Amino acid sequence: MNSSFAETDNDFIFRRRDRKTSYRGTSMMGSALRNTKNLLLFIFLVAIFCLLWVPKDNLRRMANENRKNNSTMSFRLPVSAEDWCAVPKLPPFDYSQCKDKVSINKLPLYGGLTNSLKIMLLGAVLSFEEDRCFVVDESTSALPKRESPEDSFNTSFYNRYFSPVGLPSHTLASTNLTVQTRGWEETWGNWSHNRRIKSQLNTIDSLGLKSIDGHSLKRYVMKRLWR
């Protein structure tokens, strides 16, 4: 009897401890929830106070300042590169003024955009050096083409985004001049024409340039060519 009574008494004690522990846990959770609600209420009241206390004119001024600061934030180019994003200072070329009345150069474009632009640049420099008119030929270029034929450009890819370079393409069909094709192998692959060596000086009489290095020559032509 005593043993059985002792076990029952222990069970009673454990149950009381469990109820106390459970009560403490529930009480702590309830307290945490109340604190969270109080914090959210405090934040809400502070926000309402700020809206009522701060004049609307000040809020509008602050919003305008933020908008102005965000709109004026921009990436600043190095001083050496700023000139490329400014309004051109040099005049465009007059492609019809050529002393050579016997031949005309055809500059076929190949490859992607970067290669095509370089082929065009070097071919134009060679034509100016020869004082010969030239035509940019995009018939072999993949730039105007698209996967769906109806999406292909009906005009020149280059002229879609830039001012025309050289004489119009229809000049080749109507001219009595001898058409000479100047491919990339000659203008880019030939070290005499690719203007890569800085110490190699060039004289372009048609442009009034005397003993100019290759890099300066290409920069000068680029500023008048691509507009």
Side-chain angles (χ1 to χ4, degrees):
M1 292 292 292
N2 292 338
S3 176
S4 177
F5 178 78
E7 290 179 1
T8 303
D9 189 40
N10 288 336
D11 292 341
F12 176 73
I13 293 173
F14 289 146
R15 283 197 299 270
R16 291 190 62 186
R17 289 178 178 175
D18 292 341
R19 281 198 297 269
K20 289 182 178 180
T21 303
S22 176
Y23 174 77
R24 290 197 189 100
T26 305
S27 178
M28 292 175 63
M29 291 178 61
S31 177
L33 290 174
R34 285 193 297 273
N35 291 337
T36 302
K37 291 180 180 179
N38 292 336
L39 178 60
L40 293 175
L41 179 61
F42 175 75
I43 294 175
F44 176 76
L45 293 176
V46 170
I48 295 297
F49 175 78
C50 291
L51 290 175
L52 295 176
W53 181 74
V54 179
K56 291 184 178 180
D57 292 340
N58 290 351
L59 290 175
R60 191 178 296 110
R61 178 178 54 80
M62 293 166 60
N64 291 335
E65 289 180 355
N66 291 335
R67 192 180 302 111
K68 182 179 179 180
N69 292 334
N70 292 332
S71 63
T72 56
M73 291 178 61
S74 61
F75 175 76
R76 183 174 180 83
L77 293 170
V79 176
S80 59
E82 286 182 347
D83 196 34
W84 294 101
C85 295
V87 177
K89 298 178 182 179
L90 297 173
F93 289 118
D94 184 355
Y95 300 106
S96 63
Q97 298 299 315
C98 315
K99 285 186 177 181
D100 189 340
K101 304 301 181 181
V102 178
S103 303
I104 184 172
N105 287 340
K106 180 175 72 171
L107 311 179
L109 302 185
Y110 299 97
L113 179 60
T114 304
N115 286 347
S116 296
L117 293 179
K118 186 167 184 179
I119 291 171
M120 182 190 300
L121 170 63
L122 296 177
V125 171
L126 178 61
S127 299
F128 290 132
E129 189 175 47
E130 297 172 340
D131 207 346
R132 182 182 296 177
C133 292
F134 67 92
V135 172
V136 176
D137 178 23
E138 293 189 50
S139 61
T140 57
S141 173
L143 296 178
K145 301 177 181 178
R146 295 295 182 269
E147 293 183 2
S148 300
E150 60 271 14
D151 295 333
S152 299
F153 297 154
N154 296 324
T155 182
S156 161
F157 175 87
Y158 185 85
N159 293 350
R160 182 182 175 91
Y161 303 103
F162 300 92
S163 299
V165 173
L167 297 179
S169 57
H170 61 76
T171 304
L172 297 177
S174 59
T175 185
N176 294 323
L177 302 179
T178 301
V179 178
Q180 186 173 355
T181 301
R182 318 305 290 267
W184 69 270
E185 301 91 341
E186 182 179 5
T187 58
W188 195 341
N190 190 328
W191 282 89
S192 299
H193 297 152
N194 60 20
R195 325 291 169 171
R196 288 189 177 183
I197 304 176
K198 186 175 179 59
S199 60
Q200 181 181 357
L201 302 181
N202 306 266
T203 295
I204 312 292
D205 292 329
S206 64
L207 301 180
L209 302 176
K210 303 292 184 181
S211 300
I212 184 173
D213 67 88
H215 296 297
S216 299
L217 170 61
K218 287 184 284 189
R219 280 195 292 268
Y220 173 82
V221 174
M222 286 170 62
K223 291 179 179 180
R224 298 185 63 182
L225 195 73
W226 294 332
R227 312 174 74 86

